[in-house]
Amino acid sequence: MSTGTRNGAQAPEPHAADTHDLIRVHGARENNLKDVSIEIPKRRLTVFTGVSGSGKSSLVFDTVAAESQRLINETYSAFVQGFMPSVARPDVDVLDGLTTAIIVDQRRLGADPRSTVGTATDANAMLRILFSRLGRPHIGSAKAFSFNVASISGAGAVTVERGGRTVKERRSFTITGGMCPRCEGRGSISDIDLAQLYDDTKSLAEGAITVPGYTGDGWMTRVFSGSGFLDPDKPIRDYSERELRDFLHREPTKVKIGGINVSYEGLIPKVQKSILSKDREAMQPHIRAFVDRAVTFASCPECDGTRLTEAARSSKIGGVGIADACRMQISDLAAWVRGLDEPSVAPLLAALRQTLDSFVGIGLGYLSLERPAGTLSGGEAQRVKMIRHLGSSLTDVTYVFDEPSTGLHPHDIQRMNGLLRQLRDKGNTVLVVEHKPEVIAIADHVVDLGPGAGSAGGTICYEGALEGLRSAGTVTGRHLDDRASVKKAVRTPTGKLAVRGARAHNLRDVDVDIPLGVLVAVTGVAGSGKSSLVHGSIPAGEGVVSVDQSQIRGSRRSNPATYTGLLEPIRKAFAKANGVKPALFSANSEGACPTCNGAGVVYTDLAMMAGVATTCEDCEGRRFDASVLEYRFGGRDISEVLAMPVTEAEAFFAAGEARTPAAHRILTRLVDVGLGYVSLGQPLTTLSGGERQRLKLATHMGDKGGIYVLDEPTTGLHLADVEQLLALLDRLVDSGKSVIVVEHHQAVMAHADWIIDLGPGAGHDGGRVVFEGTPAELVAARSTLTGRHLAEYVGA
């Protein structure tokens, strides 16, 4: 009997396959991680917290997710791997228990003008097939509804070998595409103002061309003058029709100038290729200003901005064309698709319904499929990427999210939390990098990194249940239950900015007075019209400094010193002190180490295998030629200055022999936004999202302007950093500036002097001002979603 009891009490031996319930990381040293060892539970929701720059992304994205993707890539043949991006193995001793990682980050979707929400999610592809089957009149295959496929036809003779004989056959082909021939599927056309390209009262010799880079004695102008097509001494207004055509539109033609063979091309195609084909955000400021002056964009008159041919627009299902469907708000489009009942395309309708319902379920029902992908915010882009995973039948997958609450109103965060739980409950491991207490609250397991940022971070401060974090004494634990209180006294406005009849996007003839000289928060659910009101109604001209969410562009050669313009006064100071050229003190110019070309590392390409980067033996990673490092300023060489953290550099350039006021002003702004720990020469590619946002803010703080417009400046900021941001905003307002903030963070709302709340919903359910007043009045009224959530936050 006793034996039977004992045997009954014994638990069965677990199957070997069920013992792999942890992801083990040992000795992780990627970026600033300091030999981190951790065990992450599988099939649970783990949230990684810590101040911005503490090492969260380095652990989750650059170590766990990167190694998972690398191992998956290695399962393909060497031939296939040759076509895939090579991923280097992370700097870690042991990574065990990995599963397939699906990364859903905040990287923007492609900004190509042909990329839309519909093309990025395959919803357009399904709609095209639907219209090619059910549309009346029938105009052709799915290609006939695609604005990326042009209509082409051709005919000619082809030679084929048949039965030992050479036979010539006549062949012809026709492809019917949906691309509008006028705008080439872009939906808009650009017109160039010729008056901005040249002064027609002058001749070429007198410097008639006013395009940047076309100086009177420069090579570009010499090509026009010496081409033989034009009289360099005749004013452009006196040109004959043929001369004007040669000057503006001539196709590329070989000419000889000064004994050199060169290609001559008309001014307009030359400007289009050399300037207008580039991304506007990547242009230098003076070239960007020229483009804004010279080019006007208008909706294509032939297709009315739909991008499609007349034939594609004429084919309809129940009176609705594909252009009408793509213009609908997705929540309305989903309802229209649900009303279609056609057994012949039932599987297609089911898949399309699921995709469109996922848009609505994830809180993006206010978008339309024709919305350009490049105009989505980081948070919207991340949620669009989530759509293809929501209905997935895959289990035991690791989903990795980068601050999924970005750009979400507190009301929408509850819905996002439900989606994260849904993914976990299907048997997946969910890893989330997050700062918002509302998301941290649903974690099964919390990993807190720190204690500081940069070199002061990179260690595990706490791991375990959420309750233990509150009593752990870490920076996150201390601030987790912080609640900003509503101001007792608000500032008095010094004036007002009157907005009348605002109709951009979904705004409905909005009239509102934005007070000046105070801190104004513009609030509302995602898609309610906040950015449309602020960016569409406040012209970014003189006196307005606008800091939006567009990404910082920069390679591994870019760093805070180059991005902020700090390197310029430092190079000049070094050059003046040593009596040499400033170009010597740039690792991208004459001062670069010749072995590594100023990169500091030497890259070895190993074809389909991950490339290897080794520290340059000649400059030992310092990036400069040895002769340059002999020049000193304030007792330091240029590589030692670039290795300094911002706080140390700020003190270095403030006084004494190294005093440089121009450099000190920029460094003070970097300290003000909380980037004192970042070194001047740290590559931009290693900065976190929150650090890049603050670097951008610091750069724009130097712009001259009385009105600052900030779009969600708390993005990527830790709870402790939000306090520092609020202090910075207060300093800006107290110095006489007007600050307008588009924001979802309740701490910023509570701290504001005035709130403009838009809504009540998103898309066509929004676009109206539902409240104007002080935060205290909003809390007392509780008349809007924002008011109710703010009241709950401040405990009123």
Side-chain angles (χ1 to χ4, degrees), residues 491-741:
R491 301 178 182 92
T492 305
T494 56
K496 67 180 182 182
L497 184 67
V499 175
R500 296 290 177 265
R503 290 184 292 274
H505 301 306
N506 66 330
L507 295 178
R508 302 188 178 187
D509 273 322
V510 169
D511 294 336
V512 66
D513 292 327
I514 302 174
L516 299 177
V518 296
L519 176 58
V520 179
V522 181
T523 60
V525 296
S528 59
K530 304 182 297 299
S531 295
S532 299
L533 176 66
V534 171
H535 295 300
S537 307
I538 303 172
E542 282 299 311
V544 178
V545 177
S546 182
V547 185
D548 59 16
Q549 287 193 37
S550 60
Q551 283 188 314
I552 283 180
R553 296 181 180 276
S555 66
R556 56 175 173 260
R557 288 180 176 273
S558 302
N559 52 51
T562 58
Y563 182 79
T564 59
L566 171 66
L567 192 57
E568 196 62 29
I570 291 176
R571 283 166 51 195
K572 287 178 178 175
F574 264 92
K576 188 177 179 182
N578 294 281
V580 291
K581 290 190 297 184
L584 282 175
F585 302 99
S586 169
N588 297 327
S589 185
E590 292 182 29
C593 165
T595 306
C596 63
N597 294 321
V601 290
V602 176
Y603 290 92
T604 306
D605 182 15
L606 297 177
M608 77 286 179
M609 298 187 73
V612 176
T614 53
T615 303
C616 175
E617 293 180 3
D618 287 4
C619 68
E620 295 178 344
R622 289 196 286 256
R623 304 176 61 197
F624 291 90
D625 187 64
S627 61
V628 175
L629 299 181
E630 293 174 9
Y631 300 116
R632 305 183 85 76
F633 176 66
R636 305 284 186 103
D637 65 41
I638 185 68
S639 69
E640 289 171 338
V641 168
L642 290 176
M644 287 182 182
V646 167
T647 43
E648 184 183 337
E650 193 241 355
F652 178 74
F653 288 108
E657 185 189 341
R659 184 174 179 271
T660 311
H664 184 254
R665 278 195 299 275
I666 297 171
L667 288 161
T668 302
R669 294 199 296 269
L670 288 170
V671 172
D672 283 345
V673 297
L675 291 177
Y677 59 88
V678 173
S679 64
L680 304 187
Q682 185 174 339
L684 287 189
T685 51
T686 65
L687 296 184
S688 68
E691 288 167 335
R692 293 185 191 198
Q693 175 93 340
R694 283 181 285 163
L695 182 63
K696 194 175 185 181
L697 178 58
T699 305
H700 285 287
M701 278 171 60
D703 297 346
K704 289 184 171 59
I707 301 176
Y708 279 76
V709 178
L710 310 179
D711 196 349
E712 295 185 40
T714 59
T715 300
L717 288 190
H718 187 266
L719 300 163
D721 297 324
V722 172
E723 292 178 12
Q724 191 166 1
L725 176 72
L726 292 175
L728 173 63
L729 297 180
D730 279 340
R731 284 201 297 277
L732 283 172
V733 175
D734 294 339
S735 68
K737 311 285 187 188
S738 301
V739 180
I740 302 166
V741 183

Side-chain angles (χ1 to χ4, degrees), residues 280 285 287-297:
R280 182 185 171 279
I287 295 177
R288 191 184 310 153
F290 161 74
V291 170
D292 291 341
R293 283 195 316 271
V295 185
T296 54
F297 294 93

Side-chain angles (χ1 to χ4, degrees), residues 390-574:
L390 291 182
S392 172
S393 301
L394 290 172
T395 60
D396 255 333
V397 170
T398 300
Y399 285 95
V400 187
F401 291 95
D402 185 9
E403 293 182 45
S405 66
T406 297
L408 288 184
H409 188 272
H411 173 71
D412 298 317
I413 290 177
Q414 296 174 350
R415 185 185 290 172
M416 175 60 72
N417 284 347
L419 293 171
L420 294 175
R421 285 194 183 108
Q422 183 183 323
L423 286 172
R424 176 203 63 190
D425 294 345
K426 282 165 62 177
N428 297 306
T429 305
V430 181
L431 309 181
V432 183
V433 172
E434 189 53 83
H435 293 295
K436 292 274 178 71
E438 300 97 310
V439 180
I440 299 172
I442 66 165
D444 302 311
H445 189 74
V446 178
V447 178
D448 190 28
L449 284 96
S455 58
T459 60
I460 304 293
C461 297
Y462 171 80
E463 58 172 314
L466 177 64
E467 285 309 311
L469 178 63
R470 287 192 166 89
S471 56
T474 67
V475 176
T476 306
R478 289 197 301 273
H479 290 273
L480 197 57
D481 295 317
D482 281 2
R483 294 293 181 268
S485 55
V486 174
K487 279 184 177 176
K488 290 188 171 65
V490 295
R491 301 178 182 92
T492 305
T494 56
K496 67 180 182 182
L497 184 67
V499 175
R500 296 290 177 265
R503 290 184 292 274
H505 301 306
N506 66 330
L507 295 178
R508 302 188 178 187
D509 273 322
V510 169
D511 294 336
V512 66
D513 292 327
I514 302 174
L516 299 177
V518 296
L519 176 58
V520 179
V522 181
T523 60
V525 296
S528 59
K530 304 182 297 299
S531 295
S532 299
L533 176 66
V534 171
H535 295 300
S537 307
I538 303 172
E542 282 299 311
V544 178
V545 177
S546 182
V547 185
D548 59 16
Q549 287 193 37
S550 60
Q551 283 188 314
I552 283 180
R553 296 181 180 276
S555 66
R556 56 175 173 260
R557 288 180 176 273
S558 302
N559 52 51
T562 58
Y563 182 79
T564 59
L566 171 66
L567 192 57
E568 196 62 29
I570 291 176
R571 283 166 51 195
K572 287 178 178 175
F574 264 92

Side-chain angles (χ1 to χ4, degrees), residues 307-338:
R307 307 163 180 251
L308 294 163
T309 59
E310 187 178 349
R313 300 197 305 275
S314 68
S315 182
K316 302 195 174 183
I317 302 173
V320 175
I322 191 168
D324 305 320
C326 290
R327 276 191 168 163
M328 282 184 197
Q329 186 167 304
I330 287 174
S331 55
D332 297 338
L333 178 59
W336 178 74
V337 171
R338 273 196 296 275

